[in-house]
Amino acid sequence: MPIPEDVTGEEIDKDVRQELQSLPKTLADDVAKNLVMVARLLDEDPEGAYGYSRVALRLASRVAAVREAAGFAAYATQKYGEALAEFRAAKRMTGNIDLWPVMADCERGLGRPEKALDMAGAPEVHKLDKAGQVEMRLVAAGARRDMGQLDAAIVTLQSPELASNSVQPWTARLRYAYADALLAAGRESEAREWFAKAVEADRDGSTDASDRLAELDGVEFMDALAEDEAEDEGEGGDAAEEAQD
């Protein structure tokens, strides 16, 4: 796959660069460039990111960072079985348990919420940092919802992190998940309160909490583009009528 000229491979994280030092320099540079493209495209073009991840995988399948990147690209394209296999490979290579929550979410994607819950109760969870533990809680709540256990999902999300007034990187998503679970359980007024709290914490627009809040408040968003098109059509119609006159 073509690599844009502005990509040098130097953009990758220094830890990943260090991992690639086990490879011949030319090969390491090629792999690095493909990994840069995976990171660049993951959010806006997951299929494109997946393509570059497959190239990196062909070039250096014994590098843990490559397996991890391939896992995230597969996960972003909902290839959950493939993602899980790559994450497991990366975990075997490094012994690192940071991927535990996303591995559990892959189990959910494969229709195995019970397995995700087993992972949420495993000893590995205690080794996760705070962000990882919050992520695991989100996955466990999602698994409960998959199983139709709405009340259990709500209880799963109730935690010191949810109650805290300090805003952390995970705060908006945690509050959003809680609001969404409350709404699914028919607790609309509480859901509205928590969507509002999610909006307060969502400084980079990582959720659509503001839209959900507006929906609950009965605000309808007009599609500005559709409105403009309608006006143009109206003007065109007037012009046609004038021509006929």
Side-chain angles (χ1 to χ4, degrees):
M1 294 181 70
I3 305 284
E5 289 183 10
D6 65 314
V7 173
T8 65
E10 295 296 327
E11 301 91 338
I12 61 170
D13 185 85
K14 63 180 180 180
D15 292 337
V16 177
R17 170 61 70 180
Q18 197 167 352
E19 267 194 76
L20 295 177
Q21 284 179 355
S22 62
L23 303 172
K25 186 175 187 316
T26 306
L27 180 60
D29 288 344
D30 286 345
V31 174
K33 289 175 183 178
N34 279 283
L35 291 180
V36 170
M37 292 307 297
V38 174
R40 181 181 285 190
L41 297 176
L42 196 59
D43 291 332
E44 64 189 49
D45 179 12
E47 288 293 346
Y50 178 76
Y52 283 104
S53 77
R54 301 309 294 176
V55 175
L57 203 53
R58 283 199 301 273
L59 295 173
S61 62
R62 295 187 180 182
V63 176
V66 169
R67 303 304 288 266
E68 186 173 326
F72 277 110
Y75 178 78
T77 52
Q78 299 183 1
K79 298 176 176 71
Y80 297 116
E82 199 175 305
L84 186 56
E86 297 301 343
F87 290 142
R88 282 175 175 163
K91 181 176 174 292
R92 276 197 306 273
M93 291 173 175
T94 63
N96 194 324
I97 46 82
D98 290 352
L99 295 169
W100 196 252
V102 72
M103 288 167 65
D105 206 38
C106 286
E107 295 287 1
R108 282 187 62 212
L110 291 166
R112 301 194 291 245
E114 297 89 351
K115 177 64 176 170
L117 285 176
D118 288 344
M119 292 179 70
E124 282 85 351
V125 175
H126 301 295
K127 300 174 187 175
L128 294 169
D129 61 14
K130 182 63 71 179
Q133 289 180 5
V134 170
E135 198 62 40
M136 193 72 246
R137 192 176 288 277
L138 287 164
V139 173
R144 291 290 184 191
R145 290 189 63 171
D146 294 343
M147 298 164 71
Q149 300 173 1
L150 285 176
D151 290 341
I154 290 167
V155 171
T156 299
L157 293 167
Q158 290 169 347
S159 59
E161 292 81 20
L162 180 69
S164 173
N165 287 323
S166 71
V167 174
Q168 303 295 336
W170 60 76
T171 304
R173 289 178 60 236
L174 185 58
R175 291 177 180 179
Y176 182 95
Y178 189 58
D180 196 43
L182 288 167
L183 190 60
R187 294 161 62 174
E188 191 170 312
S189 62
E190 291 171 87
R192 192 209 170 281
E193 175 191 345
W194 282 96
F195 276 128
K197 288 183 178 180
V199 171
E200 287 173 14
D202 195 358
R203 293 167 182 169
D204 58 359
S206 62
T207 74
D208 65 348
S210 58
D211 292 347
R212 299 293 300 277
L213 184 61
E215 281 174 23
L216 285 174
D217 287 343
V219 177
E220 290 185 13
F221 292 103
M222 290 295 292
D223 187 329
L225 186 60
E227 200 173 299
D228 290 344
E229 285 175 359
E231 284 178 9
D232 289 344
E233 283 174 15
E235 288 169 8
D238 293 341
E241 284 171 16
E242 286 169 14
Q244 286 172 2
D245 292 342

